[in-house]
Amino acid sequence: MQKVSVAAGFTCPNRDGALGAGGCTFCNNAGFTPGYLDRRDGIHAQIDTGLGFLDRRYPGTRHFIAYFQSYSNTYGEFARLRACYEEALSHPRISGLAIGTRPDCLPDTVLDYLAELAASHIIELEIGIESCDDAVLQRVNRGHDFACSVDAIERAAARGLAVTAHLILGLPGETRESMLDGAARLSALPLKALKLHQLQLVRGTAMARDWQRDPASVPLLDEESYIGLLADFVERLSPDILLQRLGSEVPPTLKLAPQWNMRLSELAPRLSAELARRGSWQGARFATPAG
């Protein structure tokens, strides 16, 4: 099974003025929107284009999920959301949806509808948490606190929805202790899966401009430090949470820093090697909550 990305043309509340303007300081959506997408195309046309790419890259794949990835894909009028989701699901090769969004864009009406869809389709809700530290969230202009993420995850999971959280390791203001504490805080939530991302500076973002003015204001992890941090984090993470992603890649034309001598495909084997060197595993230091 593979995910085929679609861009439905949604935006975010901290871009359109509802909460603020400019978006998160680390965010340039072009950094994780596939180059083959053209928002002028309809959803079916985008799916067909994506399938052509994926059929060549992953021949033999039998099932596909439409991935609403860019911006906040539960932010908009309910009728439009429903029309976009149903158009994707009507494609004969699509078996379900993965919907990326923010925790403050999940009204009960949308969650109820997604729960209805989940009765007959694969539905994965991807919620951007990014940090478990409120001071860090405020610093990057996130527009919500960690309590908002907790509430959204719990309301979604209570409806039987599979929730995947996104977390960025290395944001300005984070410490090793705060990031490792995040593993424990996430482990206490009803999460199905987690996607981890290393902080990357993407051209055109406020954070990249800050770094260019003063590199010390945005410390960056080198690859060895990140692998060590990953191992520490994974040891403290509940073994019941699936790890869908350990890092991410930004197109070279958009990526400013850090420059690693390692491809994303090497990350999982190197993490496995580090855990093996320690004689450790996911959850080795996880403390089951009392009661």
Side-chain angles (χ1 to χ4, degrees), residues 240-259:
D240 295 327
I241 296 177
L242 304 175
L243 283 167
Q244 284 195 10
R245 193 176 264 282
L246 298 173
S248 56
E249 284 184 326
V250 171
T253 55
L254 292 174
K255 182 177 175 180
L256 189 63
Q259 299 298 333

Side-chain angles (χ1 to χ4, degrees), residues 139-152:
R139 181 170 175 174
V140 301
N141 193 40
R142 185 65 185 162
H144 65 77
D145 58 12
F146 181 64
C148 179
S149 295
V150 172
D151 174 68

Side-chain angles (χ1 to χ4, degrees), residues 60 74 82 91 109 124 160 176 194 225 231 277-278:
T74 59
R82 181 173 57 192
H91 193 286
T109 303
E124 179 185 11
R176 179 181 180 278
L194 179 63
S225 298
R277 185 190 68 79
R278 299 180 181 191

Side-chain angles (χ1 to χ4, degrees), residues 56-96:
R56 292 189 298 272
R57 187 171 184 181
Y58 304 106
T61 301
R62 297 178 58 192
H63 300 286
F64 295 89
I65 294 174
Y67 188 13
F68 289 81
Q69 182 177 13
S70 300
Y71 298 100
S72 300
N73 294 281
T74 59
Y75 182 56
E77 294 183 0
F78 177 67
R80 183 179 173 224
L81 296 174
R82 181 173 57 192
C84 289
Y85 302 156
E86 292 182 358
E87 182 179 353
L89 288 171
S90 70
H91 193 286
R93 296 185 65 190
I94 293 299
S95 300

Side-chain angles (χ1 to χ4, degrees), residues 223-279:
E223 56 198 80
E224 294 299 333
S225 298
Y226 185 67
I227 290 169
L229 175 63
L230 269 183
D232 292 339
F233 186 95
V234 167
E235 286 179 334
R236 292 162 175 79
L237 186 69
S238 168
D240 295 327
I241 296 177
L242 304 175
L243 283 167
Q244 284 195 10
R245 193 176 264 282
L246 298 173
S248 56
E249 284 184 326
V250 171
T253 55
L254 292 174
K255 182 177 175 180
L256 189 63
Q259 299 298 333
W260 288 357
N261 294 314
M262 177 177 64
R263 294 299 305 272
L264 184 62
S265 59
E266 299 175 60
L267 191 51
R270 290 186 63 174
L271 172 61
S272 295
E274 172 60 19
L275 291 172
R277 185 190 68 79
R278 299 180 181 191

Side-chain angles (χ1 to χ4, degrees), residues 189-222:
L189 298 176
L191 288 174
K192 177 71 172 179
L194 179 63
K195 287 185 174 181
L196 298 172
H197 305 261
Q198 78 277 26
L199 177 63
Q200 298 177 92
L201 300 182
V202 184
R203 298 182 189 278
T205 63
M207 190 178 293
R209 292 190 289 271
D210 289 343
W211 180 81
Q212 288 174 312
R213 286 191 294 266
D214 178 15
S217 68
V218 188
L220 297 171
L221 294 165
D222 60 41

